[in-house]
């Protein structure tokens, strides 16, 4: 019996050690951690880019898909090597705080204002997104806000501010969720919501919501990469991060972004290198 | 209803095809949860037995603490481990945040109180019936503890299974300290949360069915082995 017991204990130790080894062998091949917005991950773009980059460079990019606000805070703590986000104001603060080395704008698209095709607030022909927001507020039509400090949430708050209205009341629902979950709630409640177009393309189901407004002033949505400053966090793999940025701004990367067409529609437009 | 039917069909399909993506996350889930239960047993068994057998200052507090921590919200466990392991935290230089090891630590925090509390219950019971006998034999504290633990080993198996249940079902803590990174820290529960948030409800439910099936199989296997061994002793 003694031996049987010892055997069990031995097997358990082996199990524990394999668990710990799994934890430790991540450095071969080299691995960098990218804190990125959920929209890039959910849209499927990263699934196109990262395997190709790994194939060509031998560098694996691990993605923490969170809201832009959280991505920036993760990087400030030194828990990521780079961020790929869409919240210019917070990005500039990130640089000003000495957390990043530089801001590399990569691509852009335009946010879309979605709603039920019955369009109870009549925003389809609104002259501006601010006018549309005010119409929704006046009608007290249900509007779902991300409420999670993400880039999309911050863009939405900026648009309310520029409309000069502080949304408040039962019709304005802050859900504190990612874009996918928010879209589902908007569908379920026949509500208006602001979305990035890439997630919308990846998620939309026929006959649920419609794009009622897009491509208006203030709806431009720029995605940038910011490497974490190795002067601030010496353990970050700055060299590999720069390899990724060079690759993405080179022919191979640019072509993949340009040809990324979920459901046949262009999701991102490239920005000229600065 | 069609959604639920199709979820079962998807689950079956994933299992029959031995889908490599599924195998990867299932293997990782099992490795992490079993490691956490093993660590939880190594710490929880002696801790529970000590509370049952010995009179020491603060014993009531430890006992109450064990029971209170059985209800620890996983997000809080995740938050504590996150702050400890973050590069800006006290254990930051280890670089463990967003690795499977961080997930094991978080789950270990969650399972140890359950294992210790159940061990304590079992040890109290056995101690009551053996106390005089052990004392007349002049057994020291170490001997008493190992005897009580060994005689209660079938109860300890149940304690470990309860711990495994908590570990494998948990999502908040591993999401926080693991980051749900594809190919690195994505496990069953975080995949289910992700697919749900993406609106892939059938796939999410299918993964849930696979998770429950695995849990059922593991519990069944352990219970059968335990009862076989028990019979041989009886």
């Amino acid at each position: 019996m003694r031996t049987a017991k010892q055997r069990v204990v031995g097997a358990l130790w082996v199990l524990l050690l394999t668990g710990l080894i799994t934890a430790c062998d991540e450095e071969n091949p080299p691995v960098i951690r990218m804190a990125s917005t959920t929209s890039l991950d959910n849209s499927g773009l990263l699934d196109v880019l990262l395997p190709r980059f790994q194939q060509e460079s031998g560098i694996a990019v691990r993605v923490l898909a969170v809201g832009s606000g959280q991505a920036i805070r993760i990087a400030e703590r030194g828990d990521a090597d780079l961020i790929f986000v869409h919240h210019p104001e917070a990005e500039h603060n990130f640089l000003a705080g000495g957390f990043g080395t530089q801001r590399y704008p990569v691509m852009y698209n335009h946010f879309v204002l979605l709603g039920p095709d019955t369009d109870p607030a009549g925003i389809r022909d609104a002259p501006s997104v601010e006018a549309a927001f005010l119409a929704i507020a006046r009608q007290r039509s249900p509007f779902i806000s991300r409420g999670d400090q993400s880039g999309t949430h911050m863009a939405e708050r900026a648009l309310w501010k520029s409309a000069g209205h502080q949304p408040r009341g039962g019709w304005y629902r802050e859900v504190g969720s990612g874009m996918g979950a928010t879209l589902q709630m908007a569908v379920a409640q026949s509500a208006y919501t602001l979305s990035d177009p890439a997630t919308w393309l990846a998620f939309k189901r026929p006959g649920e919501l419609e794009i009622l407004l897009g491509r208006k002033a203030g709806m431009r949505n720029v995605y940038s990469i910011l490497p974490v400053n190795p002067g601030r966090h010496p353990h970050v793999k700055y060299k590999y991060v720069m390899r990724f940025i060079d690759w993405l701004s080179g022919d191979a990367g640019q072509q993949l972004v340009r040809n990324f067409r979920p459901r046949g529609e262009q999701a991102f437009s490239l920005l000229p290198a600065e | 209803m069609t959604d639920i039917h199709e979820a079962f069909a998807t689950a079956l399909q994933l299992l029959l095809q031995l889908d490599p993506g599924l195998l990867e996350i299932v293997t990782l889930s099992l490795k992490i949860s079993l490691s956490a239960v093993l660590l939880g047993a190594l710490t929880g068994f002696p801790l529970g037995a000590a509370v049952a057998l010995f009179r020491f200052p603060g014993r009531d507090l430890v006992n109450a603490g064990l029971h209170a921590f059985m209800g620890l919200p996983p997000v809080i466990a995740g938050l504590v481990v996150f702050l400890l392991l973050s590069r800006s935290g006290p254990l930051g230089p280890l670089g463990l945040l967003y690795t499977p090891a961080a997930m094991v630590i978080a789950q270990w925090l969650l399972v140890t109180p359950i294992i210790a509390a159940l061990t304590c219950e079992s040890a109290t019971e056995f101690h009551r019936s053996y106390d005089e006998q052990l004392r007349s034999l002049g057994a020291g504290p170490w001997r008493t503890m190992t005897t009580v633990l060994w005689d209660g080993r079938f109860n300890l198996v149940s304690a470990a299974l309860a711990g495994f249940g908590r570990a494998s079902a948990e999502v908040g803590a591993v999401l926080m300290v693991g980051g749900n990174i594809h190919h690195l820290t994505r496990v069953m529960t975080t995949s289910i949360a992700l697919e749900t948030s993406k609106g892939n409800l059938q796939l999410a439910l299918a993964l849930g069915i696979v998770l429950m099936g695995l849990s059922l199989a593991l519990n069944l296997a352990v219970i059968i082995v335990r009862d076989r061994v028990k019979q041989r002793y009886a």
Side-chain angles (χ1 to χ4, degrees), chain A residues 1 5 9 11-20 22-24 26 31 33 41-42 47 61-66 70 74 76-80 178-182 184 203 205 233 235, chain B residues 28 30-31 34-36 38-39 42 82-83 85-89 95-102 104 150 153 178-184 186 194 196-201 229 232-233:
Chain A
M1 194 54 223
K5 195 169 110 193
V9 172
L12 290 176
W13 275 114
V14 169
L15 200 73
L16 176 67
L17 288 177
T18 35
L20 290 179
T22 328
C24 296
E26 65 157 312
V31 171
R33 279 205 194 99
D41 195 42
N42 288 351
D47 291 334
V61 183
R62 303 294 191 207
V63 181
L64 293 155
V66 292
Q70 198 187 343
I74 284 172
E76 284 177 354
R77 299 183 66 89
D79 294 321
M179 197 68 248
T182 303
Q184 287 202 305
F203 280 58
R205 316 263 191 281
H233 291 294
H235 60 270
Chain B
L28 185 65
L30 286 176
K31 265 189 201 165
L34 290 174
S35 303
L38 178 60
L39 282 177
L42 287 174
F82 179 93
L83 290 173
L85 295 184
S86 166
R87 287 286 181 176
S88 306
L96 286 180
L97 191 62
Y98 304 131
T99 65
V104 171
W150 179 244
R153 61 193 175 280
N180 194 22
I181 301 173
H182 200 28
H183 302 311
L184 183 66
R186 183 162 299 170
L194 177 68
T196 304
S197 80
K198 290 207 292 196
N200 298 332
L201 303 185
V229 175
R232 194 183 300 170
Y233 273 77

Side-chain angles (χ1 to χ4, degrees), chain A residues 249-260:
Chain A
S249 53
D251 289 342
Q254 301 269 294
Q255 198 159 0
L256 286 175
V257 174
R258 206 177 299 121
N259 294 340
F260 178 65

